[in-house]
Amino acid sequence: MTSRKTIATHPFGDQKPGTSGLRKKVSVFQQAHYLENFVQAIFDSSVSGDETFSDKKLVVGGDGRYYNNEALQTIIKMAAANGFERIIAGQKGLLSTPAASCIIRKYQAFGGIILSASHNPGGPDADFGIKFNAANGGPASEELTDAIFQQSREIEQYHILESADIDLGRSGNQQLGEMQVEVIDPVADYAELMEQLFDFQRIRELLIGGSFRLQFDAMNAITGPYAHRILEQQLGAPEGSVMRGLPMQDFGGGHPDPNLAHATELQRRMTGSAAADFGAASDGDGDRNMILGANFYVTPSDSLAVLAANASLAPGYRAGLAGVARSMPTSQAVDRVAAGLNIPCFETPTGWKFFGNLLDAGKITLCGEESFGTGSDHVREKDGLWAVLFWLNVLAARGESVAEIVQQHWRHYGRDYYTRHDYEAVASEAAQSLIEALRQQVGSLTGQRLGRFEVELADDFSYTDPVDGSTSRQQGLRILMRDGSRIIYRLSGTGTEGATLRVYIEGHETDPAKQAQDPQTALGELIGLAAQLAKIEHYTGRSNPDVVT
């Protein structure tokens, strides 16, 4: 028996979505009415007037972290009570973020609710998150997230079906009240799309040839089932090529962030005389990637640039690129490729949703951000395994190593030395004070000499969307030097405790004889200047960053 209930509730004041939805500690979401309020705010904000959900499909799934399945059952029952025609759910409650985007687009769904806190840790005392993706498969627009937040501040009731749980472990159709629930294989549609984009036959020949070794670290997160299916079963990589392939609620006690600080075992296997030829990792929800060669690390900015320069080697991009885009803090490496290809290059604020309009309007084909995110017009999310397959396609077609491909790229375009220094869990008030003080002096820096550098422009980055004309202000403080070097400061919105201050430093080197330095050495003067200008130690009490990438 099922019955529709309307539950009286009260607003919570802290449900403002960040760049990737609402993220809080699990215990916050477990409060009575907390999750339900936010889900009802999504539903109430995403239709207008007399519009109903009676002919609409909703995709739901998550990265498998702690509280994933309990939250999914609540969302499914609320969708039924709010009149949705159909739910498409990943089996066992699993869907990577890029796969969810793929499924929304393929089945022309109204949108999707994705449960993840991305690269943040999982477990009872760790993080949880929820976000809404629109019909194009991409993150909700700023206008919609603002509306959701406003609705969450005014909500008085929510609707939910009182019923038994859906069996998410069994594929096929089930009925919940008047709504149909279809539980699907979470990998199949995504794998089919990848085979359309890349030369699987050529990649298979590379992987089964016996002279090429691959290591992929799924970090006990959502990409494991996708990597096992595609890399090992379809493409023939030997069993064991996928490390930590079983999704776990706490990611095996690890931090599912694909960088050198958290993928230490992968890094070990990619170092020394016995190093594998190609290494990669993805994060909690499968949308980020890290690329390694034997004894060689590829920055996310360089990865985007190399893929753009070699895009014609992959069948899905053989016709050429309409344009490219990068987030403002991402290095200018892809700008140089775009100039060489005579295609547009757009600079956007941080947040994948800013690429959505450009992709939908056909203005760009590839896009990426320095925080290990790369993607294209195949979905409306960044896509970790897609980037891995793209690299494998390039390696198979060129017959060169990762290091050879990147170093040849530097010789042609110059090397953009790049680093990001993260100061994590800084007291929010101290972080805001640092940014406000810096904001006050930025306007007077233009034209000044800072050591051997001359400031060409210093500002607070503002972006006007070329498609809809909307403007996003205060998106990061930029100090741009006449020689092309840059220092950028930004507070991140992806954490759940305090604030993370991110400082991005970049310098361009065209002399091949100077392109093999450690970035911390090559950028040493700029790094010191960045800390001094912002008075980082004064405001944060930190003399060194917590994470350097």
Side-chain angles (χ1 to χ4, degrees), residues 87-136:
I87 284 280
I88 302 174
Q91 192 170 11
K92 298 182 180 179
L94 300 178
L95 274 181
S96 75
T97 292
S101 182
C102 163
I103 290 164
I104 291 168
R105 293 170 62 80
K106 178 175 180 177
Y107 296 103
Q108 300 180 316
F110 168 76
I113 292 180
I114 303 171
L115 302 180
S116 175
S118 188
H119 56 294
N120 292 1
D125 300 316
D127 300 340
F128 191 75
I130 176 173
K131 71 172 184 173
F132 178 71
N133 278 30
N136 71 343

Side-chain angles (χ1 to χ4, degrees), residues 183-399:
V183 179
I184 65 169
D185 178 342
V187 179
D189 293 305
Y190 177 85
E192 179 183 41
L193 178 59
M194 293 302 103
E195 193 162 10
Q196 294 168 9
L197 296 174
F198 301 115
D199 189 340
F200 270 31
Q201 180 58 37
R202 200 166 205 171
I203 297 172
R204 188 179 296 110
E205 291 170 358
L206 175 71
L207 295 182
I208 67 175
S211 60
F212 184 93
R213 289 194 300 123
L214 158 74
Q215 291 283 277
F216 179 84
D217 187 356
M219 307 191 92
N220 290 126
I222 188 62
T223 318
Y226 295 82
H228 280 305
R229 178 87 58 88
I230 296 172
L231 296 177
E232 293 183 345
Q233 295 173 25
Q234 290 186 244
L235 292 173
E239 185 177 344
S241 297
V242 176
M243 306 162 47
R244 297 195 285 177
L246 178 66
M248 301 176 73
Q249 290 190 338
D250 65 349
F251 307 115
H255 192 148
D257 193 353
N259 59 43
L260 296 176
H262 298 299
T264 53
E265 175 59 19
L266 173 66
Q267 187 180 5
R268 187 191 67 78
R269 297 187 189 190
M270 297 303 301
T271 303
S273 58
D277 299 282
F278 179 75
S282 191
D283 69 329
D285 66 331
D287 64 353
R288 300 183 185 219
N289 72 93
M290 178 176 69
I291 302 297
L292 300 169
N295 301 292
F296 195 88
Y297 167 68
V298 184
T299 71
S301 297
D302 277 343
S303 181
L304 173 63
V306 168
L307 294 182
N310 291 274
S312 63
L313 298 176
Y317 306 96
R318 198 156 282 155
L321 306 177
V324 295
R326 62 169 174 83
S327 65
M328 181 272 287
T330 301
S331 94
Q332 300 164 97
V334 76
D335 303 41
R336 308 182 204 288
V337 175
L341 295 174
N342 196 28
I343 58 175
C345 180
F346 297 87
E347 183 180 41
T348 74
T350 296
W352 205 260
K353 59 190 174 186
F354 292 103
F355 295 137
N357 278 359
L358 299 172
L359 290 164
D360 288 344
K363 290 183 176 294
I364 62 171
T365 307
L366 299 187
C367 47
E369 52 191 19
E370 52 72 36
S371 54
F372 298 89
T374 327
S376 84
D377 57 358
H378 69 292
V379 292
R380 294 298 181 266
E381 288 280 4
K382 48 186 176 279
D383 191 345
L385 191 52
W386 166 91
V388 172
L389 291 167
F390 208 147
W391 265 97
L392 287 171
N393 198 142
V394 171
L395 290 165
R398 290 187 54 165

